[in-house]
Amino acid sequence: MNINFRHEINGVKVITAVAQDAETGEILMVANMNEEALQKTIETGKAHYWSTSRNKQWLKGESSGHTQEVEEIRVDCDMDAIVLKIRQNGAACHEGYYSCFFRNLELENSPDINDLKDEDIKENQERLVNPEDVY
């Protein structure tokens, strides 16, 4: 039985990784991992990911200090996606929020997803840090 790195982005085989707060269950971010990033995560207990925009592995928090300590790794039925149950230190989002999911799509407005307006999206949390101060 093997982890199924079947998704390919920019020529790199990856799996989808969902980071979830181990205590509250809140989804904090979604990223990609190649084989090396997953192995490094297992070995160190700190979340490592594969950056598809920079084409390189990165330790979450390497520049900001906002690391993710992994408590548990769950693998889905197809073995091509994982959930990292983590303890988040600081903001998970590069925009300075605890979670990357800091916006709600306002369903009562029946928004047109091809033409979203300001009233169609609402922030649901406060920014923890100014990104310019940590990146």
Side-chain angles (χ1 to χ4, degrees):
M1 191 177 310
N2 294 312
I3 301 295
N4 188 356
F5 293 89
R6 68 181 176 141
H7 306 292
E8 192 169 319
I9 301 174
N10 300 331
V12 178
K13 294 191 175 283
V14 297
I15 57 173
T16 302
V18 177
Q20 181 181 39
D21 185 302
E23 187 175 320
T24 67
E26 182 176 3
I27 302 299
L28 302 181
M29 59 180 272
V30 176
N32 295 292
M33 288 182 158
N34 64 355
E35 188 173 338
E36 182 183 359
L38 178 56
Q39 190 63 50
K40 199 82 161 152
T41 298
I42 292 166
E43 291 170 2
T44 65
K46 294 193 183 299
H48 289 71
Y49 299 102
W50 178 258
S51 171
T52 57
S53 61
R54 294 177 285 164
N55 280 320
K56 70 174 204 165
Q57 179 184 297
W58 55 285
L59 166 66
K60 177 65 179 159
E62 66 187 337
S63 57
S64 67
H66 299 162
T67 58
Q68 295 176 339
E69 297 174 46
V70 179
E71 294 187 357
E72 180 180 340
I73 299 176
R74 293 192 180 185
V75 182
D76 82 330
C77 56
D78 296 324
M79 297 194 63
D80 65 353
I82 62 170
V83 173
L84 302 174
K85 299 253 185 183
I86 58 132
R87 274 182 283 126
Q88 177 66 45
N89 299 305
C93 180
H94 73 281
E95 292 193 26
Y97 295 86
Y98 183 67
S99 169
C100 292
F101 298 93
F102 62 90
R103 299 181 185 114
N104 287 355
L105 189 58
E106 297 297 311
L107 298 177
E108 65 273 2
N109 294 346
S110 297
D112 176 351
I113 61 167
N114 294 308
D115 186 29
L116 291 174
K117 298 176 180 31
D118 287 345
E119 63 268 12
D120 296 330
I121 304 266
K122 298 281 191 263
E123 288 189 6
N124 59 33
Q125 57 189 261
E126 297 291 321
R127 181 174 267 153
L128 297 179
V129 296
N130 182 342
E132 294 175 10
D133 294 341
V134 294
Y135 295 108

